[in-house]
Amino acid sequence: MLVSGKSILQHAHENGYAVGAFNVNNMEQVQAIIGAAEETQSPVIIQASQGGLKYAGVEIISAMAKTLAENTTVPVAIHLDHGTDFTQIMKCLRNGFTSVMIDASHYELDENIRRTKQIVEMAKAVGVSVEAELGKIGGVEDDIAVDEKDATYTDPDEAAKFVSETEVDYLAIAVGTAHGPYKGEPKLDFDRIKVIKERLNMPLVLHGSSGVPEESIRKAVSLGINKINIDTDIRQAFHRAVKKFVAENPDVYDPRKIVGPARDAMKEVIKTKMEMFGSTGKAWR
Ligand code: 13P
């Protein structure tokens, strides 16, 4: 069942759990996500980043995601991750995305507000939900790189001003996570999550969630995180499974045999995340 991002995240916000937002570039990933959502009866968000869209194209990603979303009973939203370009965001709206992110977090507050408002007006006119980012999340994701020294945590006062002026549906906050693999153990600023949640009382988003210890994820959810972005952990599950299969079967050249086990491995990782985020059994009809 294809639904808006807001309907999924408002439900998570009201019921105190988080929904996984998993990045996709190919068919196997979309199938792994929907399979995991069905087996755990979780609402879920399928998202495509700049790199994913460059690799597969908006039309192909949306056709795959929409086909599977419309043929399952669990609630599914299709989301643009880190949208930066007005034209691309419009293309996603035309192609049936039900949620878009405008990431203008590298601009000063007023310019971030101006750019975000412009997207909110367009998207809401066609019933599509909007995520924005305030503060700068560190790390590397496809074409977007933020050096650790340039990463800045979200300020609760700025967040309150930002949300009241832009009317975004959910907000990505910078609280110590980073995109890509971690070198050491990430330390989350839990007090900041709590304060921002109390101030805003709306769905909050955690980026860079791969490799964050389970305990920290569970605590972040209990304090009000409702959307958890995962990309790296799925890529690594894919890589491990393909490497293993090829090492054990060096002469097999059928792509289905090589990539099939990776699809199963990704599904298992996604199911574990859904349980950790508390979305298991939360699907509604
Ligand atoms: P990871 O690299 O930690 O999986 O983060 C993904 C993400 O935040 C996508 O926006």
Side-chain angles (χ1 to χ4, degrees):
M1 167 168 73
L2 181 62
V3 300
S4 73
K6 185 175 178 176
S7 64
I8 287 188
L9 292 175
Q10 202 56 36
H11 188 262
H13 170 62
E14 282 161 18
N15 293 282
Y17 68 95
V19 174
F22 303 101
N23 286 77
V24 296
N25 312 289
N26 63 19
M27 180 191 78
E28 286 75 12
Q29 290 175 314
V30 180
Q31 291 173 322
I33 295 166
I34 298 289
E38 284 174 342
E39 285 177 30
T40 61
Q41 286 299 300
S42 280
V44 73
I45 298 172
I46 295 177
Q47 63 185 14
S49 68
Q50 294 300 310
L53 294 179
K54 214 188 271 176
Y55 177 75
V58 174
E59 292 86 354
I60 289 182
I61 296 269
S62 70
M64 289 189 302
K66 252 182 356 197
T67 304
L68 269 75
E70 282 163 356
N71 285 290
T72 184
T73 57
V74 295
V76 181
I78 306 174
H79 175 75
L80 168 66
D81 189 25
H82 293 286
T84 49
D85 174 55
F86 183 85
T87 310
Q88 184 193 52
I89 292 175
M90 290 306 113
K91 199 168 174 187
C92 289
L93 298 184
R94 284 198 68 147
N95 277 277
F97 279 55
T98 58
S99 174
V100 291
M101 176 182 189
I102 164 71
D103 179 1
S105 61
H106 44 292
Y107 292 103
E108 292 302 318
L109 179 64
D110 286 344
E111 183 61 7
N112 188 352
I113 290 175
R114 192 188 69 75
R115 287 174 182 256
T116 302
K117 258 173 104 164
Q118 186 186 34
I119 300 303
V120 169
E121 274 167 27
M122 304 291 293
K124 287 207 176 167
V126 289
V128 170
S129 327
V130 180
E131 171 181 338
E133 177 175 322
L134 188 64
K136 292 188 190 74
I137 295 159
V140 179
E141 189 191 18
D142 294 328
D143 301 346
I144 299 170
V146 178
D147 205 83
E148 236 161 76
K149 67 173 173 18
D150 297 325
T152 42
Y153 286 9
T154 307
D155 177 82
D157 292 333
E158 282 192 3
K161 174 179 158 76
F162 184 86
V163 170
S164 92
E165 292 192 20
T166 60
E167 297 181 20
V168 286
D169 298 301
Y170 19 101
L171 184 69
I173 55 173
V175 289
T177 54
H179 294 113
Y182 289 98
K183 289 187 197 95
E185 188 174 301
K187 296 262 174 297
L188 271 62
D189 186 343
F190 295 111
D191 289 342
R192 194 174 294 267
I193 299 175
K194 186 166 182 281
V195 169
I196 295 174
K197 187 73 172 188
E198 281 167 4
R199 282 291 287 278
L200 305 185
N201 190 27
M202 69 185 288
L204 298 178
V205 183
L206 189 67
H207 283 244
S209 311
S210 293
V212 177
E214 175 166 353
E215 219 183 277
S216 300
I217 290 285
R218 287 188 188 272
K219 189 161 176 191
V221 174
S222 76
L223 293 171
I225 293 292
N226 304 110
K227 173 175 181 277
I228 301 190
N229 289 11
I230 299 282
D231 187 359
T232 304
D233 279 341
I234 301 176
R235 294 178 183 201
Q236 290 179 336
F238 179 92
H239 182 222
R240 274 193 305 273
V242 169
K243 236 176 22 180
K244 181 171 182 288
F245 182 85
V246 173
E248 288 168 1
N249 305 275
D251 298 326
V252 176
Y253 55 83
D254 181 341
R256 295 165 297 189
K257 296 215 166 82
I258 299 170
V259 177
R263 178 172 60 189
D264 297 340
M266 292 189 288
K267 188 172 82 176
E268 289 313 308
V269 168
I270 295 165
K271 279 165 65 178
T272 309
K273 300 288 180 191
M274 288 170 162
E275 195 277 320
M276 196 187 295
F277 303 163
S279 66
T280 298
K282 298 293 196 310
W284 64 89
R285 301 245 167 160

